[in-house]
Amino acid sequence: MTDIITVRGVVATEVDAGLTNGGHPAANFRLASTERRRDNETQQWVDRSTNWYTVKAFRHLAQNIGSSLRKGDRVVVTGKLQLRQWTGDDGRSRTNPEIVADSVGHDLKWGTAKFARSTESRPVAESGGQAGGAPESGNEELDSVDLATGEVFDEMDLAGEEPEPGDDATEGFKLAG
């Protein structure tokens, strides 16, 4: 079973971007998500507990994260939650929550952004025409957009497959180099 999670928080570390052993772009960073509540007695905002996540991304998303996010940015992350178990030096069992990101964006509650679409070419759906079976438009930017729904496809959506184990696999993820 796959758990999908959406978390708002702050990029707590510099983005670590590079390539997987298979040569595909990869990026990761730590995300801090702190609960804030209004204290009715003092009429002040109070920070409560902070949850920490490791966020991992691959391919096009990793490239865009590497060039877009900086430590301190407020973001919204959606992806697959994975709980990694490990044993610390003191012998105690620990759990590290990881999010394998499907989407990452700046949290516009806290500021503004100007979106710039990536210019690299994207594959066309297997139907032989535009993604989603739309007729040829002559506009390369629409090659990975389903014109009926507005959904934007990434390379994995069009191929219909997850990263190969041992290539971009999320288990044991380490940047090459």
Side-chain angles (χ1 to χ4, degrees):
M1 179 174 184
T2 301
D3 293 328
I4 303 299
I5 186 172
T6 298
V7 179
R8 291 184 354 198
V10 176
V11 177
T13 61
E14 292 299 332
V15 174
D16 184 15
L19 298 175
T20 64
N21 291 332
H24 296 287
N28 66 43
F29 61 91
R30 294 284 287 166
L31 179 70
S33 177
T34 302
E35 179 185 11
R36 298 194 84 203
R37 296 279 187 208
R38 182 94 170 153
D39 185 328
N40 290 333
E41 291 179 20
T42 64
Q43 299 301 312
Q44 301 291 319
W45 286 99
V46 178
D47 287 343
R48 300 264 174 102
S49 62
T50 299
N51 290 327
W52 292 90
Y53 301 90
T54 298
V55 178
K56 296 180 179 185
F58 301 95
R59 301 185 185 210
H60 298 295
L61 180 57
Q63 289 174 318
N64 293 338
I65 285 172
S67 62
S68 300
L69 297 185
R70 300 292 172 257
K71 183 177 178 180
D73 287 354
R74 292 183 178 266
V75 294
V76 178
V77 176
T78 298
K80 297 174 191 86
L81 176 65
Q82 298 179 339
L83 300 176
R84 300 285 180 207
Q85 305 292 325
W86 57 283
T87 303
D89 293 337
D90 60 1
R92 292 177 47 189
S93 178
R94 310 236 193 252
T95 302
N96 181 33
E98 296 178 350
I99 301 172
V100 180
D102 292 322
S103 298
V104 177
H106 286 100
D107 188 345
L108 298 181
K109 178 179 179 181
W110 300 97
T112 62
K114 181 171 178 149
F115 179 77
R117 186 178 172 99
S118 299
T119 58
E120 62 194 53
S121 63
R122 304 266 179 146
V124 176
E126 292 181 21
S127 65
Q130 301 299 93
E136 296 286 335
S137 69
N139 185 345
E140 290 181 23
E141 285 191 26
L142 297 178
D143 285 350
S144 59
V145 177
D146 183 332
L147 297 177
T149 64
E151 180 179 7
V152 178
F153 298 100
D154 64 18
E155 183 176 347
M156 286 193 301
D157 290 334
L158 293 173
E161 60 190 44
E162 292 289 325
E164 293 293 323
D167 182 19
D168 309 20
T170 59
E171 290 190 41
F173 163 69
K174 292 182 182 173
L175 296 176

